[in-house]
Amino acid sequence: MAKKEFKAESKKLMDLMIHSIYTNKDIFLRELISNASDAIDKLHYRSLTDKSVKIKKKDFEIFLAVDEEKRTLTISDNGCGMTKEELEKNLGTIAKSGSLQFKEENEHKKDIDIIGQFGVGFYSAFMVSDSISVKSRAYGSDEAYEWISSGVDGYEVKPSEMDSYGTIITLKIKEDTEDVTYSDYLKEYKIEELVKKYSNYITYPIKMEVEHRHLKEGSDNEYETHLETEVLNDMVPLWKRDKKKITEEEYNTFYSDKFFDYETPLKVIHTEAEGLVSFSSLLYIPSHAPYDYYTKQYEKGLQLYSNGVLIMEKAEDLLPDYFSFVKGIVDSPDLSLNISREILQQDKNLKLIAKNIENKIKKELLNMMSEEKEKYEKFWESFGMQLKFGIYDNFGMNKDKLVDLLLFATSKDKDYVSLSEYVKNMKEEQTSIYYACGETLDKIDLLPQVERVKEKGYSILYCTEYVDEFALKTIGEFEGKKLVNVSKEDLDLDSEEEKKELEKLNEKNKDLFTFMKDEIKDVEEVRFTNRLKTHPVCLSTVGDISIEMEKVMNAMPVDNKVEAKKILEINNHHPIAKKLEDFYKNDKERLKDYTKILYNEARLIEGLPIENPTEFASLISEELSK
Ligand code: ADP
């Protein structure tokens, strides 16, 4: 039979495995046992929901065997097994969706990331094996097939024989090298140690025939050996165990095994709830966003168990969108096994559980924020955007729940503050919470509008993500303080006296401003301002749409472009103000040129494009040559 080639991306991953960039080779066993357990889960579930499948829970098992002479390690299970097509499909390619896309987008990144993101799965066995055979018979079929491969050059699938359904994986363990003693994987004690370490919580028995040596009866120096089948694991799922007796490593191993993330999670939330509805939950807050987190491909949800039986891989209704980063499991005896997604949505118990979980997550996040600030900042950098989306999503329906969780960089030291910290540190006479938007913290820091507010000693929230302003607008007010964009026209920083004076000045120069406005059609108004300190000009806005919003919304692929209503503000303390007044009296042509230059200058500062760069450049050159 001709050998088949692996799919390109599988080949690459396998290549990585064989050349073993992943130093912890031990994990291959956990991966294979976890696959076996998943396969049993599937059949167990069928046995509970389909009367024609008559298997008792106690009959399920995973069996391990080593043969030092033949250098083989065998992992067998009596789970659902695979058909010929499934063998080809599942083992000839990486099952994970999106993996190809991920590879393309991340070609430049280190290989280790790929493994971190996907979990190494079945292929990890190639780290320790010269060749692998997978014999399998699907439940309900009487045909068995064998898949054989010795690495990158491909695989074969051929008919085989098996007495019963399930899967038998045989690894031909590599010869020892100077660096690695592969023979360890042929030692019972090593296998036992690995099972205890990585697979203890698997809910089906993991058995192995272990050689026992004891004194021969009636003798005091002669020994005899015999084989005894031992169960190596405790079988109690981790979430059902006593919290006090679970080590951090056990929690983390469970996490990486289940959720394919080899970075340790930021937080583990393990709870047991009794009341209207009973459930255990084991939730994790990851330390980084998965590569596809902010895309449509990402699917939120928690694994749902009913009394230890997996009933749904991703129950999405258990998590609100704004907490979609949470991974974990929920196990409740109050849920029926035969439950479809549609029915689940209506299930009262599930709603109660979801509510409870949401509160738990929020409480833990608030705790982290106040007690482990650094950790929270790490969390924030990965998932803060999601919380901000949550605020403005659904017309702000959930804003009150989320507003306490927000962090912003501030003008002061560019450190993060929460809104309540901001309010606590406000100056006595300060009435509003100020924010400024821009591409980067440094760019915002240089905005002309920021200068004056800073001079007053007021802190400013610096917003660099496009969702920031939408979220802040949705919040509107916090603890009675209005949230104000420093670029809004009515900033109200002046004293009554200053205001009056400015008003007078603007009134006096009314005709000058009308003349200038006629030169630049797309501003609502031209006027003097007190808001600037060293800069000659800036743009402010009236109405709901700010300049940042204009940029964001126009970057989206929609036909209707929006435009912020802009005001060109001129610093009346700047020498340029005097010049404008003079030109209005003596040289209107030059005033026109100045107006164009100043307006385009203001646009450039805001990061807006200028309509006619050539004209702008020649106007400047002309002025420079005067
Ligand atoms: P993953 O387990 O993450 O999906 P793997 O590469 O480890 O990825 O396995 C690929 C697929 O092969 C599994 O999703 C499963 O469908 C199938 N598979 C692996 N091992 C077994 C097994 N022991 N019994 C039945 N199916 C299996």
Side-chain angles (χ1 to χ4, degrees), residues 31-32 34-40 42 75-77 79-82 86-87 89-91 93-96 118-123 134 136 166-169 260:
E31 299 293 327
L32 297 186
S34 152
N35 281 349
S37 166
D38 290 348
I40 297 178
K42 282 181 199 151
I75 298 105
S76 328
D77 67 71
C80 62
M82 283 176 273
E86 283 166 338
L87 272 172
K89 189 172 99 226
N90 296 338
L91 305 183
T93 180
I94 300 176
K96 300 261 144 32
F118 287 106
V120 279
F122 171 76
Y123 289 106
V134 181
S136 201
T167 301
I168 304 170
I169 299 181
F260 308 111

Side-chain angles (χ1 to χ4, degrees), residues 219 289 310:
S219 161
L310 181 66

Side-chain angles (χ1 to χ4, degrees), residues 541-599:
T541 54
V542 258
D544 279 339
I545 299 169
S546 72
I547 287 174
E548 277 311 301
M549 287 168 111
E550 172 184 314
K551 281 194 254 174
V552 169
M553 285 153 90
N554 289 348
M556 295 179 190
V558 288
D559 287 341
N560 295 343
K561 297 290 169 199
V562 298
E563 217 177 295
K565 291 187 174 152
K566 304 177 189 72
I567 296 174
L568 178 63
E569 300 204 278
I570 298 161
N571 184 352
N572 62 316
H573 304 298
H574 195 281
I576 214 113
K578 185 82 194 45
K579 267 195 157 171
L580 295 176
E581 287 176 47
D582 286 350
F583 287 150
Y584 184 64
K585 283 184 206 126
N586 309 318
D587 189 350
K588 293 225 167 50
E589 279 315 301
R590 207 143 168 227
L591 177 58
K592 280 186 189 168
D593 292 349
Y594 261 62
T595 306
K596 280 186 194 150
I597 292 177
L598 288 174
Y599 174 58

